[in-house]
Amino acid sequence: GQTLCVNDVANCAVDIVLRASTMRHHSGTHLLHASLRKILGAHVEQAGSLVNAERLRFDFSHGGAISPAELKAIEALVNQQVEQNAPVNMQEMPLEKAKQKGALAFFGDKYGDVVRVVSMGAFSTELCGGTHVKETKEIGLMKIVSEEGISAGVRRVEAVCGPRAVVYLSRD
């Protein structure tokens, strides 16, 4: 391997296919979170997440199992929001203003005085510093692939978006 030294020139490139897939899964996570809160109740709060080009995993507070009908409704609500093609807006603002706008913030988390608010139409507003699609339709499709309890009062949903969802649905 080579060693980089001060003043060396380096070329960096983002893999645009992997980045686009990650963006779909990340924006899908925001829509999933909002859908969970609308279907299951406002007690739902994020307890952890993983987002990458392959899938999304979302852990959240909820006291019991989620019925197949509820899962179907959650997935349908996400996909309805995808179809509405809402713009994804990002704004920096003081934390207090973000709270007034109704941005979801989890108070175990540490935030600076200025935060980044990501909103998807009127449906989802959260504090987030990550990479996202420009419009919800870019997510393509979300398919929930699993749901389980991982500890007392915490559930986990895993899902795939876009081409990954199409591959999942067309598997034998």
Side-chain angles (χ1 to χ4, degrees):
Q2 291 183 305
T3 303
L4 285 175
C5 298
V6 174
N7 297 325
D8 280 356
V9 175
N11 290 318
C12 299
V14 172
D15 182 320
I16 59 171
V17 173
L18 287 178
R19 171 61 65 95
S21 187
T22 301
M23 290 164 69
R24 278 190 290 274
H25 286 102
H26 195 179
S27 297
T29 300
H30 282 232
L31 293 181
L32 174 64
H33 188 190
S35 295
L36 287 163
R37 290 174 62 86
K38 288 192 185 341
I39 302 293
L40 301 177
H43 65 279
V44 168
E45 287 191 2
Q46 181 176 336
S49 71
L50 173 139
V51 174
N52 60 31
E54 306 288 320
R55 66 190 168 109
L56 68 88
R57 184 179 73 207
F58 190 74
D59 300 341
F60 58 96
S61 56
H62 184 62
I66 299 170
S67 73
E70 287 171 321
L71 271 182
K72 200 171 197 177
I74 291 160
E75 183 180 276
L77 187 53
V78 170
N79 286 313
Q80 179 184 71
Q81 293 304 311
V82 168
E83 277 302 305
Q84 288 189 6
N85 202 25
V88 177
N89 293 312
M90 292 169 237
Q91 284 182 287
E92 289 194 357
M93 63 185 69
L95 179 58
E96 283 309 310
K97 184 176 178 189
K99 289 180 193 173
Q100 289 166 12
K101 281 185 67 126
L104 290 181
F106 303 100
F107 299 102
D109 289 353
K110 302 279 186 233
Y111 299 106
D113 293 336
V114 175
V115 294
R116 184 165 166 251
V117 177
V118 176
S119 56
M120 298 179 190
F123 190 75
S124 169
T125 304
E126 291 192 43
L127 302 188
C128 184
T131 186
H132 287 279
V133 298
K134 288 182 174 43
E135 297 169 318
T136 59
K137 207 159 196 174
E138 291 176 51
I139 295 166
L141 169 72
M142 176 185 283
K143 177 64 187 151
I144 293 174
V145 299
S146 69
E147 186 278 331
E148 65 181 336
I150 58 166
S151 65
V154 179
R155 308 297 296 179
R156 171 172 288 167
V157 168
E158 294 197 27
V160 287
C161 295
R164 301 259 176 213
V166 173
V167 169
Y168 180 86
L169 289 168
S170 63
R171 76 197 191 292
D172 292 332

